[in-house]
Short mmCIF file of all heavy atoms in Angstrom, two decimals:
data_model
loop_
_atom_site.label_atom_id
_atom_site.label_comp_id
_atom_site.label_asym_id
_atom_site.label_seq_id
_atom_site.Cartn_x
_atom_site.Cartn_y
_atom_site.Cartn_z
N ARG A 44 93.02 104.06 116.82
CA ARG A 44 92.20 103.81 117.97
C ARG A 44 92.88 102.71 118.73
O ARG A 44 92.80 101.54 118.38
CB ARG A 44 90.79 103.35 117.52
CG ARG A 44 89.79 103.46 118.57
CD ARG A 44 88.44 103.09 118.06
NE ARG A 44 87.48 103.02 119.10
CZ ARG A 44 86.35 102.37 119.05
NH1 ARG A 44 86.03 101.74 117.93
NH2 ARG A 44 85.54 102.33 120.06
N ARG A 45 93.61 103.11 119.72
CA ARG A 45 94.51 102.16 120.42
C ARG A 45 93.74 100.94 120.95
O ARG A 45 92.62 101.03 121.41
CB ARG A 45 95.17 102.86 121.60
CG ARG A 45 96.23 103.87 121.14
CD ARG A 45 96.81 104.59 122.32
NE ARG A 45 97.67 103.73 123.07
CZ ARG A 45 98.94 103.51 122.77
NH1 ARG A 45 99.48 104.11 121.71
NH2 ARG A 45 99.69 102.75 123.49
N GLN A 46 94.42 99.83 120.82
CA GLN A 46 93.94 98.56 121.35
C GLN A 46 92.71 98.02 120.61
O GLN A 46 92.06 97.09 121.09
CB GLN A 46 93.63 98.63 122.86
CG GLN A 46 94.85 99.05 123.67
CD GLN A 46 96.09 98.29 123.39
OE1 GLN A 46 95.99 97.07 123.05
NE2 GLN A 46 97.23 98.89 123.42
N LEU A 47 92.40 98.61 119.46
CA LEU A 47 91.26 98.04 118.73
C LEU A 47 91.51 96.58 118.33
O LEU A 47 90.66 95.75 118.47
CB LEU A 47 90.99 98.87 117.49
CG LEU A 47 89.80 98.30 116.71
CD1 LEU A 47 88.55 99.03 117.03
CD2 LEU A 47 90.04 98.31 115.23
N ALA A 48 92.77 96.36 117.87
CA ALA A 48 93.08 95.02 117.39
C ALA A 48 93.12 94.03 118.56
O ALA A 48 93.29 92.82 118.33
CB ALA A 48 94.38 94.99 116.60
N ARG A 49 93.01 94.56 119.77
CA ARG A 49 92.96 93.61 120.89
C ARG A 49 91.76 92.68 120.76
O ARG A 49 91.79 91.52 121.18
CB ARG A 49 92.88 94.40 122.20
CG ARG A 49 93.02 93.51 123.40
CD ARG A 49 93.05 94.34 124.67
NE ARG A 49 94.40 94.79 125.00
CZ ARG A 49 94.66 95.58 126.05
NH1 ARG A 49 93.71 96.04 126.78
NH2 ARG A 49 95.88 95.91 126.27
N VAL A 50 90.73 93.18 120.13
CA VAL A 50 89.56 92.34 119.82
C VAL A 50 90.05 91.08 119.14
O VAL A 50 89.63 89.98 119.55
CB VAL A 50 88.58 93.09 118.89
CG1 VAL A 50 87.48 92.16 118.42
CG2 VAL A 50 87.99 94.29 119.56
N SER A 51 90.93 91.28 118.14
CA SER A 51 91.38 90.10 117.37
C SER A 51 92.28 89.24 118.25
O SER A 51 92.55 88.10 117.88
CB SER A 51 92.17 90.61 116.18
OG SER A 51 91.38 91.49 115.40
N ASN A 52 92.82 89.80 119.32
CA ASN A 52 93.76 89.01 120.12
C ASN A 52 93.17 88.47 121.38
O ASN A 52 93.88 87.82 122.15
CB ASN A 52 94.96 89.90 120.50
CG ASN A 52 95.95 90.03 119.30
OD1 ASN A 52 95.90 89.19 118.41
ND2 ASN A 52 96.77 91.02 119.34
N THR A 53 91.87 88.70 121.61
CA THR A 53 91.27 88.11 122.81
C THR A 53 91.20 86.61 122.61
O THR A 53 90.96 86.14 121.49
CB THR A 53 89.84 88.66 123.08
OG1 THR A 53 89.14 88.65 121.89
CG2 THR A 53 89.89 90.05 123.65
N PRO A 54 91.38 85.84 123.70
CA PRO A 54 91.32 84.37 123.58
C PRO A 54 90.02 83.97 122.87
O PRO A 54 88.97 84.52 123.15
CB PRO A 54 91.35 83.89 125.00
CG PRO A 54 91.97 84.99 125.78
CD PRO A 54 91.57 86.27 125.10
N GLY A 55 90.14 83.06 121.96
CA GLY A 55 88.96 82.60 121.24
C GLY A 55 88.76 83.32 119.93
O GLY A 55 88.05 82.86 119.05
N ARG A 56 89.37 84.49 119.81
CA ARG A 56 89.16 85.25 118.58
C ARG A 56 90.39 85.22 117.70
O ARG A 56 90.32 85.64 116.52
CB ARG A 56 88.82 86.71 118.87
CG ARG A 56 87.37 86.92 119.24
CD ARG A 56 86.95 88.35 118.89
NE ARG A 56 85.91 88.83 119.80
CZ ARG A 56 84.61 88.66 119.55
NH1 ARG A 56 84.22 88.04 118.46
NH2 ARG A 56 83.73 89.16 120.37
N THR A 57 91.50 84.78 118.22
CA THR A 57 92.75 84.86 117.45
C THR A 57 92.71 83.99 116.19
O THR A 57 93.42 84.23 115.25
CB THR A 57 93.98 84.41 118.29
OG1 THR A 57 93.68 83.18 118.90
CG2 THR A 57 94.35 85.43 119.34
N GLN A 58 91.86 82.94 116.26
CA GLN A 58 91.84 82.04 115.12
C GLN A 58 90.63 82.27 114.22
O GLN A 58 90.23 81.43 113.43
CB GLN A 58 91.90 80.58 115.59
CG GLN A 58 93.21 80.27 116.28
CD GLN A 58 94.42 80.69 115.49
OE1 GLN A 58 94.57 80.36 114.32
NE2 GLN A 58 95.31 81.45 116.08
N LEU A 59 90.03 83.44 114.37
CA LEU A 59 88.80 83.74 113.59
C LEU A 59 89.11 84.82 112.56
O LEU A 59 90.12 85.51 112.62
CB LEU A 59 87.68 84.26 114.50
CG LEU A 59 87.32 83.37 115.67
CD1 LEU A 59 86.24 84.09 116.52
CD2 LEU A 59 86.78 82.03 115.18
N LEU A 60 88.19 84.98 111.63
CA LEU A 60 88.23 86.13 110.73
C LEU A 60 87.51 87.23 111.45
O LEU A 60 86.35 87.09 111.87
CB LEU A 60 87.50 85.80 109.42
CG LEU A 60 87.90 84.53 108.68
CD1 LEU A 60 86.87 84.16 107.63
CD2 LEU A 60 89.25 84.73 108.01
N ASN A 61 88.20 88.39 111.72
CA ASN A 61 87.60 89.47 112.47
C ASN A 61 87.37 90.67 111.50
O ASN A 61 88.31 91.09 110.82
CB ASN A 61 88.49 89.87 113.60
CG ASN A 61 88.57 88.82 114.69
OD1 ASN A 61 87.55 88.33 115.16
ND2 ASN A 61 89.78 88.34 115.00
N PHE A 62 86.14 91.14 111.52
CA PHE A 62 85.76 92.20 110.56
C PHE A 62 85.56 93.58 111.23
O PHE A 62 84.91 93.63 112.27
CB PHE A 62 84.46 91.82 109.85
CG PHE A 62 84.63 90.60 108.97
CD1 PHE A 62 84.46 89.33 109.50
CD2 PHE A 62 84.95 90.74 107.63
CE1 PHE A 62 84.62 88.22 108.65
CE2 PHE A 62 85.08 89.64 106.82
CZ PHE A 62 84.94 88.37 107.32
N PHE A 63 86.11 94.61 110.58
CA PHE A 63 85.99 95.96 111.08
C PHE A 63 85.49 96.88 109.95
O PHE A 63 85.98 96.77 108.84
CB PHE A 63 87.32 96.52 111.58
CG PHE A 63 87.98 95.66 112.64
CD1 PHE A 63 88.89 94.67 112.32
CD2 PHE A 63 87.69 95.88 113.98
CE1 PHE A 63 89.47 93.87 113.30
CE2 PHE A 63 88.26 95.11 114.97
CZ PHE A 63 89.16 94.10 114.63
N LEU A 64 84.55 97.73 110.31
CA LEU A 64 84.09 98.73 109.34
C LEU A 64 84.89 99.99 109.56
O LEU A 64 85.00 100.49 110.65
CB LEU A 64 82.60 99.05 109.58
CG LEU A 64 81.97 100.09 108.70
CD1 LEU A 64 81.98 99.67 107.22
CD2 LEU A 64 80.50 100.35 109.12
N VAL A 65 85.54 100.50 108.49
CA VAL A 65 86.43 101.63 108.61
C VAL A 65 85.83 102.85 107.92
O VAL A 65 85.54 102.81 106.72
CB VAL A 65 87.84 101.32 107.99
CG1 VAL A 65 88.79 102.47 108.17
CG2 VAL A 65 88.43 100.06 108.64
N ASP A 66 85.69 103.92 108.66
CA ASP A 66 85.15 105.20 108.19
C ASP A 66 83.81 105.03 107.48
O ASP A 66 83.47 105.87 106.63
CB ASP A 66 86.14 105.89 107.24
CG ASP A 66 87.40 106.35 107.98
OD1 ASP A 66 87.38 106.48 109.21
OD2 ASP A 66 88.43 106.57 107.28
N GLY A 67 83.13 103.94 107.77
CA GLY A 67 81.87 103.66 107.08
C GLY A 67 82.00 103.39 105.60
O GLY A 67 81.05 103.21 104.88
N GLN A 68 83.31 103.31 105.14
CA GLN A 68 83.58 103.24 103.70
C GLN A 68 84.01 101.89 103.20
O GLN A 68 83.75 101.49 102.09
CB GLN A 68 84.66 104.26 103.34
CG GLN A 68 84.28 105.66 103.35
CD GLN A 68 85.40 106.54 102.87
OE1 GLN A 68 86.55 106.39 103.29
NE2 GLN A 68 85.08 107.44 101.98
N PHE A 69 84.79 101.19 104.03
CA PHE A 69 85.27 99.87 103.61
C PHE A 69 85.44 98.97 104.79
O PHE A 69 85.30 99.40 105.97
CB PHE A 69 86.57 100.02 102.78
CG PHE A 69 87.77 100.46 103.59
CD1 PHE A 69 88.67 99.54 104.12
CD2 PHE A 69 88.02 101.82 103.77
CE1 PHE A 69 89.81 99.98 104.79
CE2 PHE A 69 89.12 102.26 104.46
CZ PHE A 69 90.03 101.34 104.97
N VAL A 70 85.67 97.70 104.50
CA VAL A 70 85.78 96.70 105.56
C VAL A 70 87.15 96.09 105.59
O VAL A 70 87.72 95.81 104.52
CB VAL A 70 84.68 95.60 105.35
CG1 VAL A 70 84.81 94.45 106.35
CG2 VAL A 70 83.29 96.20 105.47
N ILE A 71 87.65 95.94 106.79
CA ILE A 71 88.96 95.25 106.98
C ILE A 71 88.63 93.87 107.53
O ILE A 71 87.88 93.75 108.49
CB ILE A 71 89.90 96.00 107.91
CG1 ILE A 71 90.56 97.20 107.21
CG2 ILE A 71 90.98 95.09 108.48
CD1 ILE A 71 91.48 98.02 108.09
N CYS A 72 89.23 92.84 106.94
CA CYS A 72 89.15 91.51 107.52
C CYS A 72 90.51 91.16 108.04
O CYS A 72 91.45 91.01 107.25
CB CYS A 72 88.66 90.49 106.47
SG CYS A 72 88.73 88.81 107.16
N ASP A 73 90.62 91.02 109.33
CA ASP A 73 91.88 90.66 109.97
C ASP A 73 91.97 89.14 110.00
O ASP A 73 91.22 88.49 110.70
CB ASP A 73 91.90 91.23 111.41
CG ASP A 73 93.17 90.94 112.15
OD1 ASP A 73 94.16 90.53 111.51
OD2 ASP A 73 93.16 91.11 113.39
N LEU A 74 92.87 88.61 109.19
CA LEU A 74 92.99 87.16 109.09
C LEU A 74 93.83 86.61 110.23
O LEU A 74 94.75 87.33 110.71
CB LEU A 74 93.69 86.77 107.75
CG LEU A 74 92.96 87.21 106.46
CD1 LEU A 74 93.81 86.89 105.23
CD2 LEU A 74 91.58 86.51 106.37
N PRO A 75 93.59 85.41 110.68
CA PRO A 75 94.39 84.86 111.78
C PRO A 75 95.86 84.78 111.37
O PRO A 75 96.17 84.50 110.25
CB PRO A 75 93.84 83.45 111.96
CG PRO A 75 92.55 83.40 111.24
CD PRO A 75 92.59 84.46 110.18
N GLY A 76 96.74 85.08 112.34
CA GLY A 76 98.17 85.04 112.08
C GLY A 76 98.63 83.65 111.74
O GLY A 76 98.26 82.69 112.41
N TYR A 77 99.43 83.56 110.71
CA TYR A 77 99.92 82.24 110.30
C TYR A 77 101.02 81.77 111.25
O TYR A 77 101.89 82.57 111.60
CB TYR A 77 100.47 82.35 108.88
CG TYR A 77 101.07 81.09 108.35
CD1 TYR A 77 100.25 79.99 107.98
CD2 TYR A 77 102.44 80.93 108.24
CE1 TYR A 77 100.78 78.86 107.48
CE2 TYR A 77 103.00 79.77 107.75
CZ TYR A 77 102.15 78.73 107.38
OH TYR A 77 102.68 77.58 106.89
N GLY A 78 101.00 80.51 111.60
CA GLY A 78 102.09 79.92 112.36
C GLY A 78 102.12 80.28 113.83
O GLY A 78 103.16 80.31 114.47
N TYR A 79 100.98 80.57 114.41
CA TYR A 79 100.88 80.91 115.82
C TYR A 79 101.28 79.74 116.69
O TYR A 79 100.66 78.63 116.61
CB TYR A 79 99.45 81.35 116.14
CG TYR A 79 99.29 82.04 117.46
CD1 TYR A 79 99.92 83.25 117.72
CD2 TYR A 79 98.52 81.49 118.46
CE1 TYR A 79 99.77 83.89 118.93
CE2 TYR A 79 98.33 82.11 119.65
CZ TYR A 79 99.00 83.32 119.89
OH TYR A 79 98.82 83.94 121.10
N ALA A 80 102.38 79.88 117.47
CA ALA A 80 102.98 78.73 118.13
C ALA A 80 102.08 77.98 119.10
O ALA A 80 102.15 76.77 119.23
CB ALA A 80 104.23 79.21 118.85
N LYS A 81 101.22 78.76 119.77
CA LYS A 81 100.43 78.11 120.86
C LYS A 81 99.22 77.36 120.30
O LYS A 81 98.50 76.72 121.11
CB LYS A 81 99.95 79.15 121.84
CG LYS A 81 101.07 79.73 122.71
CD LYS A 81 100.51 80.77 123.65
CE LYS A 81 101.59 81.77 124.03
NZ LYS A 81 101.09 83.13 124.18
N VAL A 82 98.97 77.44 119.06
CA VAL A 82 97.78 76.83 118.53
C VAL A 82 97.96 75.30 118.33
O VAL A 82 98.96 74.88 117.79
CB VAL A 82 97.42 77.48 117.17
CG1 VAL A 82 96.28 76.77 116.49
CG2 VAL A 82 97.09 78.97 117.39
N PRO A 83 97.01 74.55 118.80
CA PRO A 83 97.09 73.08 118.66
C PRO A 83 97.14 72.69 117.15
O PRO A 83 96.64 73.39 116.31
CB PRO A 83 95.80 72.57 119.26
CG PRO A 83 95.25 73.66 120.08
CD PRO A 83 95.79 74.95 119.52
N ARG A 84 97.75 71.54 116.94
CA ARG A 84 97.96 71.08 115.57
C ARG A 84 96.66 71.00 114.73
O ARG A 84 96.66 71.35 113.56
CB ARG A 84 98.62 69.71 115.61
CG ARG A 84 99.21 69.32 114.27
CD ARG A 84 100.05 68.09 114.46
NE ARG A 84 101.16 68.34 115.35
CZ ARG A 84 102.35 67.72 115.28
NH1 ARG A 84 102.48 66.80 114.39
NH2 ARG A 84 103.29 68.02 116.09
N ALA A 85 95.59 70.57 115.37
CA ALA A 85 94.33 70.40 114.66
C ALA A 85 93.86 71.76 114.11
O ALA A 85 93.33 71.84 113.01
CB ALA A 85 93.27 69.80 115.56
N ILE A 86 94.04 72.80 114.94
CA ILE A 86 93.60 74.12 114.50
C ILE A 86 94.51 74.63 113.41
O ILE A 86 94.11 75.27 112.45
CB ILE A 86 93.51 75.09 115.71
CG1 ILE A 86 92.46 74.60 116.71
CG2 ILE A 86 93.18 76.51 115.24
CD1 ILE A 86 92.29 75.41 117.94
N LYS A 87 95.81 74.35 113.53
CA LYS A 87 96.75 74.76 112.50
C LYS A 87 96.35 74.14 111.17
O LYS A 87 96.44 74.78 110.14
CB LYS A 87 98.16 74.27 112.88
CG LYS A 87 98.93 75.34 113.62
CD LYS A 87 100.37 74.87 113.83
CE LYS A 87 101.06 75.82 114.76
NZ LYS A 87 102.25 75.21 115.38
N ALA A 88 95.92 72.87 111.24
CA ALA A 88 95.53 72.19 109.99
C ALA A 88 94.27 72.80 109.40
O ALA A 88 94.10 72.79 108.18
CB ALA A 88 95.30 70.70 110.29
N ALA A 89 93.46 73.39 110.25
CA ALA A 89 92.20 74.02 109.76
C ALA A 89 92.47 75.43 109.20
O ALA A 89 91.63 75.99 108.54
CB ALA A 89 91.21 74.10 110.88
N TRP A 90 93.65 75.98 109.53
CA TRP A 90 93.96 77.36 109.13
C TRP A 90 93.92 77.54 107.63
O TRP A 90 93.16 78.40 107.13
CB TRP A 90 95.36 77.72 109.67
CG TRP A 90 95.68 79.17 109.52
CD1 TRP A 90 95.44 80.17 110.42
CD2 TRP A 90 96.30 79.80 108.40
NE1 TRP A 90 95.87 81.38 109.98
CE2 TRP A 90 96.38 81.20 108.73
CE3 TRP A 90 96.74 79.37 107.18
CZ2 TRP A 90 96.94 82.07 107.84
CZ3 TRP A 90 97.26 80.32 106.27
CH2 TRP A 90 97.37 81.66 106.64
N ALA A 91 94.66 76.73 106.93
CA ALA A 91 94.75 76.90 105.49
C ALA A 91 93.38 76.80 104.78
O ALA A 91 93.03 77.72 103.99
CB ALA A 91 95.77 75.95 104.87
N PRO A 92 92.58 75.77 105.08
CA PRO A 92 91.27 75.70 104.39
C PRO A 92 90.39 76.91 104.72
O PRO A 92 89.68 77.38 103.83
CB PRO A 92 90.64 74.43 104.96
CG PRO A 92 91.76 73.62 105.46
CD PRO A 92 92.84 74.57 105.86
N MET A 93 90.43 77.40 105.97
CA MET A 93 89.61 78.56 106.30
C MET A 93 90.04 79.77 105.51
O MET A 93 89.21 80.48 104.94
CB MET A 93 89.66 78.84 107.81
CG MET A 93 88.81 80.02 108.19
SD MET A 93 88.64 80.24 109.97
CE MET A 93 90.17 81.08 110.31
N ILE A 94 91.35 80.02 105.48
CA ILE A 94 91.86 81.22 104.77
C ILE A 94 91.57 81.02 103.24
O ILE A 94 91.14 81.96 102.57
CB ILE A 94 93.40 81.38 104.99
CG1 ILE A 94 93.69 81.51 106.47
CG2 ILE A 94 93.93 82.54 104.20
CD1 ILE A 94 93.16 82.78 107.10
N GLU A 95 91.83 79.85 102.75
CA GLU A 95 91.63 79.59 101.32
C GLU A 95 90.16 79.75 100.97
O GLU A 95 89.84 80.34 99.93
CB GLU A 95 92.13 78.23 100.92
CG GLU A 95 93.62 78.21 100.66
CD GLU A 95 94.18 76.80 100.52
OE1 GLU A 95 93.44 75.90 100.18
OE2 GLU A 95 95.37 76.65 100.80
N GLY A 96 89.28 79.24 101.79
CA GLY A 96 87.85 79.35 101.58
C GLY A 96 87.45 80.85 101.50
O GLY A 96 86.68 81.24 100.62
N TYR A 97 88.00 81.57 102.42
CA TYR A 97 87.70 83.02 102.48
C TYR A 97 88.24 83.72 101.20
O TYR A 97 87.51 84.42 100.52
CB TYR A 97 88.29 83.64 103.74
CG TYR A 97 88.34 85.15 103.70
CD1 TYR A 97 87.22 85.90 103.97
CD2 TYR A 97 89.50 85.82 103.31
CE1 TYR A 97 87.22 87.28 103.94
CE2 TYR A 97 89.52 87.22 103.23
CZ TYR A 97 88.39 87.91 103.54
OH TYR A 97 88.41 89.30 103.46
N LEU A 98 89.54 83.50 100.96
CA LEU A 98 90.16 84.20 99.80
C LEU A 98 89.48 83.81 98.49
O LEU A 98 89.31 84.63 97.60
CB LEU A 98 91.66 83.91 99.74
CG LEU A 98 92.54 84.48 100.84
CD1 LEU A 98 93.95 83.93 100.74
CD2 LEU A 98 92.55 86.01 100.82
N ASP A 99 89.20 82.53 98.33
CA ASP A 99 88.57 82.07 97.09
C ASP A 99 87.17 82.58 96.87
O ASP A 99 86.80 82.93 95.77
CB ASP A 99 88.49 80.52 97.12
CG ASP A 99 89.81 79.88 96.77
OD1 ASP A 99 90.70 80.56 96.23
OD2 ASP A 99 89.99 78.67 97.07
#
Side-chain angles (χ1 to χ4, degrees):
R44 198 177 171 199
R45 290 176 72 84
Q46 303 310 326
L47 180 97
R49 188 175 273 176
V50 172
S51 305
N52 281 341
T53 46
R56 280 205 210 271
T57 50
Q58 296 310 308
L59 305 176
L60 307 166
N61 293 307
F62 293 87
F63 302 93
L64 178 63
V65 183
D66 293 341
Q68 287 185 312
F69 68 96
V70 174
I71 282 179
C72 174
D73 181 15
L74 299 174
Y77 177 74
Y79 194 63
K81 288 180 206 144
V82 173
R84 196 170 296 209
I86 297 180
K87 267 186 191 161
W90 190 90
M93 180 171 82
I94 303 292
E95 277 169 24
Y97 166 82
L98 291 173
D99 281 343

